[in-house]
Amino acid sequence: MLIEFLNTSMTDLIVQKFGGTSVANLDRIEKIAEIIKSSAEINNVVVVISAMAGETDRLFSLGQKYFNQDNIREMDALLSTGEVVSSSLLAMCLSSLGLKAKSFNASQLKLMTKKDSSNKFATILSIDTALIKNEIAHGVIPIITGFQGVDEKGDFTTLGRGGSDTTAVAVAAELKAKECQIYTDVKGVFSADPNKVNDARVLEYVTSEEMLELSGQGAKVLALRSVELGHKYKVPIKVLSSFEQSQGTKIIYNEPTDMEQSVVTSITSEPNQAKFTIYGGKSGNDFSSSVLNLMAQKNIFVDVIVMNYELNGAIDFSFTVQQGNSVEVESILKENKGQLFDDYISESDLSKISVVGVGMRSQTGVASRVFSCLEGSKTSLKLVSTSEIKITLVLESSLEKTTVESLHREFFK
Amino acid sequence: MLIEFLNTSMTDLIVQKFGGTSVANLDRIEKIAEIIKSSAEINNVVVVISAMAGETDRLFSLGQKYFNQDNIREMDALLSTGEVVSSSLLAMCLSSLGLKAKSFNASQLKLMTKKDSSNKFATILSIDTALIKNEIAHGVIPIITGFQGVDEKGDFTTLGRGGSDTTAVAVAAELKAKECQIYTDVKGVFSADPNKVNDARVLEYVTSEEMLELSGQGAKVLALRSVELGHKYKVPIKVLSSFEQSQGTKIIYNEPTDMEQSVVTSITSEPNQAKFTIYGGKSGNDFSSSVLNLMAQKNIFVDVIVMNYELNGAIDFSFTVQQGNSVEVESILKENKGQLFDDYISESDLSKISVVGVGMRSQTGVASRVFSCLEGSKTSLKLVSTSEIKITLVLESSLEKTTVESLHREFFK
């Protein structure tokens, strides 16, 4: 009977992940214990948990002074204590409510990882699900420390920021869970930032492709890597709030057949962007990849990239970066001016607005509807970039608010 | 060559243990890193470390709200993070000084433990020394988390307060280390409390038997359990300060042959004692063990016990407790008066003074020299208890200071 149970995929199992603000203090831990208790009355539940809000930063700042390439092993051991604290507190809290619960760190769980080439962040190789299934079979709610793993030597590793999301999705994938619920401090994925657009509403679902675009566009609800992982293993993910009642947003893996679905799913915006345009590149593609290489060496993330061949064969090459990187980019370009290219110009105080939706793939005229919202501000447009499911505009920050509102009206009226 | 090394006992190895105040902050961690660095130039070093001062209390108070018999496993997991933080920080600090160092928690070290009958505190069964020896053979300084162990299921356990001392002595015993250095915030074991007696001096050595008596008499420099363990395995222990230069005090296992050695090693004193005397016990030994049982059930530590059969067959039964327990003791005695015994009286504001030394075993007249120091205060003496190497006096607290000074003059002039 038990063996049979251990071999089946767990069709009645849900994985619930709670982030740092959801376990910020004992009051919050008690709130999520109630959520877990309710869920456990209907389903088998496995919990994945982050460190208490601010704890990972506190631990990192303690070790920062001595941090170097040689002691990443120790920094990982240090950081991994954050999730041990929150998971054992939650297990104790659940036990005080009369439930059986046990915390498991990555070592106990044999959550095996491999370091990436930078030796800093690890990716998950495998998880010992037999242990989790055995605990569930004995009526125990396993509380798993997020963000951490171990390597083949038994040394702790960490999965990088947002790593607990990745842990949760990986656990759900391995256990073939019915659903992976990511509890956050927002109600779900919105059609636009509710702080900027009054009518913004929680979306019932977004496709995983849209979520990938949105995660990359400043929507902080779900870490990019966990969406990629969910996409790969088709994990049914739902994003919802641990602070207030909400339906949440499902991540789906097939395009909706619902005809009423808007062609556009969400509109995101990000201020504090800077744009650089380079003229007279010296050696075709080589020159642009050389410039991008120089940026990568300094860990500068280059965001939107646009390249255009002029009639006369010259190359216009534009890209955007976070405004905070402007000074460094400027100094790199100054150093290479005259060798790789003739000259460059920079612009700052820009915003990036993205219109995302799988619907636009099958519908023409989305671009023209987008441009219709730019009435009277078209001259301020600095850059346009498009993909199959996204149109990105870069324009003066002063126009961000009205443009986002206008786009939201156009596609969500 | 390596195999040969791994099989030898480590005659050039020292174990260094640093307590919570020695790792209270990064400045302190850097200070002890310098101590370790100096030692590592001469010897192979294994380090055992406590949590940063106050951290174990902080963690305990977080979990206290939910703490019960069912979730001791989780409380242990929670508390064990304290030593992981300090050990990884120290390893990083040593690495920043150019040394090779690695932290190991109890699970990585396979420091196997067994719970006691209360299921609360664990005792050490074994330690995987192969791993430590292997690291040393590769030039690495192992930093071991004190206070924690694991059980056969891989669950974390804790060794109780002062547990890091126990870890250090156990590691030293297993590795057959040349010396186990316990770094504290005092210069060593004193002939008397230097805050009370001006002439008090650091003792070069005390016997383990004396140390056992002293640990039980309020000398907080070394946890009682670690002295017992050191005594059992004859571990060469030295107590010294991580705050200032000092020779420290050695714990030795044979009586010194040095003729100059004083018959008395140390004089300790503790205020805030209360004494209870019970009259007319009902059934001989049964009555006194019944009373002691009642105290034990309420977790009241009964200290000095004196029992005397009167000529008429009646029994005088006196004992002391910490004054903080007086109210509770009083209520227990009130409840049982008339059943177990006829009546009782209580006295408070007392001090306990102990004169300890293996020398008194072979020398007569120590008691008379002790009593000669009580000139003029003899009428205030409340209780006297003696063992082979100890004389304990209980008297009014107002006489504590002058009596200790007088005893110190008598035996250390």
Side-chain angles (χ1 to χ4, degrees):
Chain A
M1 176 65 189
L2 182 60
I3 295 295
E4 194 182 320
F5 174 84
L6 294 179
N7 287 330
T8 55
S9 78
M10 313 202 82
T11 47
D12 66 337
L13 180 103
I14 57 171
V15 173
Q16 299 189 314
K17 181 260 170 178
F18 298 92
T21 53
S22 302
V23 292
N25 53 48
L26 298 186
D27 280 351
R28 293 292 316 149
I29 286 175
E30 287 165 24
K31 289 261 164 51
I32 67 167
E34 292 294 344
I35 294 176
I36 295 164
K37 191 181 178 187
S38 303
S39 308
E41 282 161 12
I42 307 163
N43 293 291
N44 285 313
V45 177
V46 172
V47 177
V48 174
I49 200 164
S50 299
M52 294 167 90
E55 182 65 3
T56 303
D57 288 336
R58 185 185 76 89
L59 292 166
F60 186 82
S61 72
L62 271 174
Q64 199 168 18
K65 191 170 175 186
Y66 315 120
F67 187 38
N68 63 47
Q69 275 298 318
D70 294 338
N71 55 32
I72 287 171
R73 175 188 187 275
E74 300 305 324
M75 184 55 108
D76 282 344
L78 179 64
L79 295 182
S80 70
T81 62
E83 279 75 17
V84 174
V85 168
S86 54
S87 64
S88 52
L89 282 173
L90 177 60
M92 291 173 79
C93 182
L94 285 169
S95 149
S96 78
L97 295 179
L99 297 167
K100 288 200 276 184
K102 272 187 181 178
S103 69
F104 294 97
N105 69 21
S107 168
Q108 294 170 316
L109 202 62
K110 296 187 188 62
L111 197 154
M112 307 308 295
T113 55
K114 208 183 79 178
K115 284 285 176 89
D116 67 5
S117 57
S118 79
N119 194 32
K120 254 178 140 171
F121 300 125
T123 49
I124 298 175
L125 294 175
S126 62
I127 301 168
D128 182 6
T129 53
L131 180 134
I132 307 175
K133 288 182 180 181
N134 185 48
E135 293 295 343
I136 294 170
H138 288 90
V140 173
I141 300 172
I143 317 285
I144 296 173
T145 52
F147 177 66
Q148 63 183 243
V150 286
D151 64 16
E152 73 287 349
K153 283 188 250 165
D155 293 348
F156 279 92
T157 59
T158 53
L159 306 180
R161 293 283 154 153
S164 292
D165 287 349
T166 309
T167 307
V169 174
V171 167
E174 281 284 333
L175 290 170
K176 296 185 179 49
K178 190 168 70 175
E179 190 164 81
C180 179
Q181 300 176 343
I182 308 284
Y183 283 84
T184 67
D185 49 9
V186 293
K187 279 176 158 183
V189 180
F190 278 80
S191 58
D193 186 339
N195 297 315
K196 291 177 185 162
V197 177
N198 285 334
D199 300 344
R201 56 181 175 77
V202 176
L203 301 168
E204 197 187 327
Y205 50 79
V206 296
T207 69
S208 56
E209 288 165 292
E210 286 167 341
M211 198 64 217
L212 283 173
E213 291 285 6
L214 293 170
S215 291
Q217 297 301 313
K220 302 284 190 300
V221 287
L222 195 54
L224 186 59
R225 235 170 95 195
S226 64
V227 183
E228 288 167 354
L229 194 64
H231 187 80
K232 190 170 167 190
Y233 293 100
K234 305 284 173 282
V235 178
I237 299 176
K238 190 186 233 178
V239 174
L240 64 181
S241 169
S242 71
F243 288 78
E244 45 187 335
Q245 207 68 32
S246 85
Q247 280 286 80
T249 303
K250 275 188 191 167
I251 317 289
I252 56 171
Y253 299 100
N254 297 308
E255 284 179 37
T257 49
D258 179 357
M259 292 298 287
E260 295 300 314
Q261 168 74 359
S262 167
V263 289
V264 164
T265 299
S266 185
I267 294 156
T268 66
S269 64
E270 232 185 323
N272 301 321
Q273 307 292 309
K275 177 193 164 193
F276 290 85
T277 304
I278 294 172
Y279 299 103
K282 295 295 182 197
S283 52
N285 279 324
D286 275 7
F287 117 86
S288 55
S289 69
S290 297
V291 169
L292 293 176
N293 252 331
L294 291 166
M295 302 297 158
Q297 278 164 25
K298 296 281 183 182
N299 271 320
I300 295 165
F301 175 67
V302 174
D303 191 357
V304 187
I305 299 174
V306 169
M307 200 149 94
N308 229 351
Y309 287 82
E310 297 288 317
L311 274 181
N312 61 4
I315 300 166
D316 275 5
F317 176 54
S318 298
F319 60 87
T320 65
V321 297
Q322 293 283 327
Q323 198 146 304
N325 291 320
S326 285
V327 176
E328 211 168 349
V329 172
E330 194 101 34
S331 95
I332 293 170
L333 293 182
K334 229 173 236 163
E335 218 171 275
N336 290 282
K337 188 178 140 175
Q339 295 150 46
L340 288 175
F341 53 85
D342 289 336
D343 208 350
Y344 70 92
I345 57 165
S346 66
E347 288 163 280
S348 56
D349 292 323
L350 304 179
S351 284
K352 179 181 67 169
I353 298 174
S354 290
V355 178
V356 176
V358 286
M360 66 175 80
R361 184 146 55 190
S362 55
Q363 294 218 13
T364 55
V366 175
S368 75
R369 285 171 70 187
V370 166
F371 280 90
S372 76
C373 298
L374 297 169
E375 279 299 282
S377 59
K378 240 175 248 175
T379 52
S380 312
L381 205 57
K382 302 295 178 185
L383 215 58
V384 176
S385 160
T386 62
S387 80
E388 264 207 304
I389 66 165
K390 186 179 65 168
I391 298 177
T392 297
L393 314 168
V394 176
L395 39 64
E396 283 175 15
S397 280
S398 60
L399 297 165
E400 179 186 325
K401 191 172 159 56
T402 53
T403 307
V404 169
E405 281 170 346
S406 165
L407 286 165
H408 198 265
R409 264 197 310 276
E410 172 67 25
F411 291 101
F412 296 90
K413 61 195 161 190
Chain B
M1 177 64 189
L2 181 62
I3 294 295
E4 194 181 321
F5 174 86
L6 295 180
N7 288 330
T8 55
S9 78
M10 314 201 81
T11 47
D12 66 339
L13 181 103
I14 57 171
V15 173
Q16 299 189 314
K17 182 261 169 179
F18 298 91
T21 53
S22 302
V23 292
N25 53 46
L26 297 186
D27 280 352
R28 293 292 317 146
I29 287 176
E30 286 166 26
K31 290 260 165 48
I32 67 167
E34 292 293 344
I35 294 175
I36 295 165
K37 191 181 178 184
S38 302
S39 308
E41 281 161 13
I42 307 160
N43 292 290
N44 286 314
V45 176
V46 173
V47 177
V48 175
I49 200 164
S50 299
M52 294 167 89
E55 181 65 2
T56 304
D57 288 336
R58 184 185 76 89
L59 292 167
F60 186 81
S61 72
L62 270 177
Q64 200 167 17
K65 191 170 175 187
Y66 316 120
F67 188 37
N68 63 47
Q69 277 297 319
D70 294 336
N71 55 32
I72 286 171
R73 175 189 186 274
E74 301 303 325
M75 184 57 107
D76 283 345
L78 179 65
L79 295 180
S80 70
T81 62
E83 280 74 17
V84 174
V85 168
S86 54
S87 65
S88 52
L89 281 174
L90 177 59
M92 289 172 80
C93 182
L94 286 168
S95 150
S96 78
L97 295 178
L99 297 166
K100 287 200 277 183
K102 272 187 184 180
S103 68
F104 293 98
N105 68 22
S107 168
Q108 293 170 317
L109 203 62
K110 295 187 187 62
L111 196 153
M112 305 308 295
T113 55
K114 208 183 77 174
K115 284 284 176 89
D116 69 3
S117 57
S118 80
N119 193 30
K120 251 176 138 172
F121 300 126
T123 50
I124 297 175
L125 294 175
S126 64
I127 300 168
D128 181 8
T129 53
L131 180 134
I132 306 176
K133 288 183 179 177
N134 185 48
E135 292 294 342
I136 294 170
H138 288 90
V140 173
I141 300 172
I143 318 285
I144 296 172
T145 51
F147 176 66
Q148 63 183 244
V150 284
D151 64 17
E152 72 288 347
K153 283 188 252 164
D155 292 348
F156 279 91
T157 59
T158 54
L159 307 179
R161 293 283 155 155
S164 292
D165 288 348
T166 310
T167 307
V169 174
V171 167
E174 281 283 333
L175 289 171
K176 298 183 177 49
K178 191 168 71 176
E179 190 164 81
C180 179
Q181 300 177 344
I182 307 284
Y183 284 85
T184 67
D185 49 9
V186 294
K187 279 177 159 181
V189 181
F190 279 82
S191 59
D193 186 341
N195 297 315
K196 293 176 184 164
V197 178
N198 287 334
D199 300 345
R201 56 179 175 78
V202 176
L203 301 167
E204 198 187 329
Y205 50 81
V206 296
T207 70
S208 56
E209 288 164 292
E210 288 167 339
M211 197 64 219
L212 283 174
E213 291 285 8
L214 293 171
S215 291
Q217 296 304 311
K220 301 285 189 299
V221 288
L222 196 55
L224 187 58
R225 232 170 99 195
S226 64
V227 183
E228 287 166 356
L229 193 65
H231 188 80
K232 189 169 167 191
Y233 292 101
K234 304 283 174 281
V235 178
I237 298 176
K238 189 185 232 179
V239 174
L240 64 180
S241 168
S242 69
F243 288 80
E244 46 187 336
Q245 208 66 32
S246 87
Q247 280 287 81
T249 304
K250 275 188 192 169
I251 317 291
I252 57 172
Y253 299 99
N254 298 307
E255 284 179 37
T257 50
D258 179 357
M259 294 299 286
E260 295 300 314
Q261 169 73 359
S262 166
V263 288
V264 164
T265 300
S266 186
I267 294 154
T268 66
S269 63
E270 230 184 326
N272 302 320
Q273 308 291 310
K275 178 193 164 193
F276 291 86
T277 304
I278 294 172
Y279 299 104
K282 295 295 183 197
S283 51
N285 280 325
D286 276 5
F287 117 87
S288 55
S289 69
S290 298
V291 169
L292 293 176
N293 252 331
L294 290 167
M295 302 296 160
Q297 278 162 24
K298 298 280 183 183
N299 272 319
I300 295 164
F301 176 67
V302 174
D303 191 358
V304 186
I305 299 173
V306 168
M307 200 148 94
N308 229 351
Y309 288 81
E310 297 289 317
L311 275 179
N312 60 4
I315 299 165
D316 276 4
F317 176 55
S318 298
F319 60 90
T320 65
V321 296
Q322 294 284 326
Q323 197 144 306
N325 290 321
S326 286
V327 176
E328 211 168 352
V329 172
E330 194 101 37
S331 97
I332 292 170
L333 294 182
K334 229 172 238 166
E335 217 170 277
N336 292 282
K337 188 178 142 175
Q339 294 152 46
L340 288 174
F341 53 85
D342 289 337
D343 210 348
Y344 70 93
I345 56 162
S346 67
E347 289 163 279
S348 55
D349 293 322
L350 305 178
S351 285
K352 179 181 68 169
I353 297 174
S354 290
V355 179
V356 176
V358 287
M360 63 175 80
R361 181 144 59 187
S362 56
Q363 294 218 16
T364 54
V366 175
S368 75
R369 285 171 71 189
V370 167
F371 281 90
S372 75
C373 297
L374 296 170
E375 278 300 280
S377 59
K378 240 174 249 177
T379 52
S380 311
L381 206 55
K382 303 295 177 184
L383 214 58
V384 176
S385 160
T386 61
S387 80
E388 265 208 302
I389 67 166
K390 186 180 65 170
I391 298 176
T392 297
L393 315 167
V394 176
L395 39 64
E396 282 174 16
S397 280
S398 59
L399 297 165
E400 179 185 325
K401 192 174 159 55
T402 53
T403 308
V404 169
E405 281 169 348
S406 165
L407 286 164
H408 198 265
R409 262 196 312 277
E410 173 66 26
F411 291 101
F412 295 90
K413 63 195 160 193

